[in-house]
Amino acid sequence: MIRPIVKDILFLQRKAEKASKKDSSAGRDLVETLESHHEDCVGMAANMIGIGKAIIAIKDGNKTILMYNPEITKTSDTSYDTEEGCLSLFGKRPCRRYDWVEVRYEDENFHKKKSRFKGFTAEIVQHEMDHLEGILI
């Protein structure tokens, strides 16, 4: 189900709770909502659609990756300054991002995975992970 985008700053600043298999429908809704915004969005966290669970969905090229309970386990030694926008916020804001990140997460079937993302995809992951911590750019 495609859900509306939340713009309530107080809700977005809440830290996400751990997701479980009971939250699989929330993951599907997140992917459907992300895909419905394919022209102007490359990643979403569950709180952006009103669900306070640790779930993100990102675009990696033509592929959508759904992650439950993601954790950044390693980062590059190098980082860069950039500007990012967000469907939940107006305008663009400056931020600092690592060149690559390694992430441990559970996939759509709740199997444990570990992946390394670099470049723009790493930037997307970091932005959505900030959402799970209640950090707004």
Side-chain angles (χ1 to χ4, degrees), residues 81-99:
D81 292 317
T82 189
E83 284 190 340
E84 295 175 355
C86 181
L87 287 181
S88 290
L89 305 169
F90 295 104
K92 290 190 174 194
R93 292 169 175 78
C95 58
R96 187 158 193 80
R97 297 295 184 208
Y98 292 104
D99 292 320

Side-chain angles (χ1 to χ4, degrees), residues 15-24 26-27 30 44-47 51-57 65-73 102-115 117 125 128-133:
K15 190 172 179 174
E17 297 175 8
K18 185 175 172 95
S20 69
K21 289 182 181 178
K22 294 177 187 175
D23 299 308
S24 59
L30 186 63
M44 280 190 179
N47 64 352
I51 300 166
K53 296 291 184 159
I55 311 168
I56 67 172
I65 301 172
L66 178 62
M67 298 183 213
Y68 292 94
N69 305 309
E71 294 178 58
I72 294 176
T73 56
E102 195 169 274
V103 182
R104 183 176 51 222
Y105 63 96
E106 295 167 75
D107 67 12
E108 64 277 355
N109 297 310
F110 285 86
H111 295 130
K112 293 182 188 229
K113 300 271 186 173
K114 187 167 153 182
S115 299
F117 300 98
V125 169
E128 303 316 330
M129 295 288 295
D130 279 354
H131 271 294
L132 298 183
E133 293 297 321

Side-chain angles (χ1 to χ4, degrees), residues 39-82:
E39 291 179 9
D40 55 354
C41 186
V42 290
M44 280 190 179
N47 64 352
M48 293 176 66
I49 61 169
I51 300 166
K53 296 291 184 159
I55 311 168
I56 67 172
I58 63 158
K59 297 299 279 182
D60 186 13
N62 293 327
K63 180 172 61 170
T64 300
I65 301 172
L66 178 62
M67 298 183 213
Y68 292 94
N69 305 309
E71 294 178 58
I72 294 176
T73 56
K74 289 185 186 175
T75 62
S76 63
D77 292 331
T78 54
S79 59
Y80 60 94
D81 292 317
T82 189

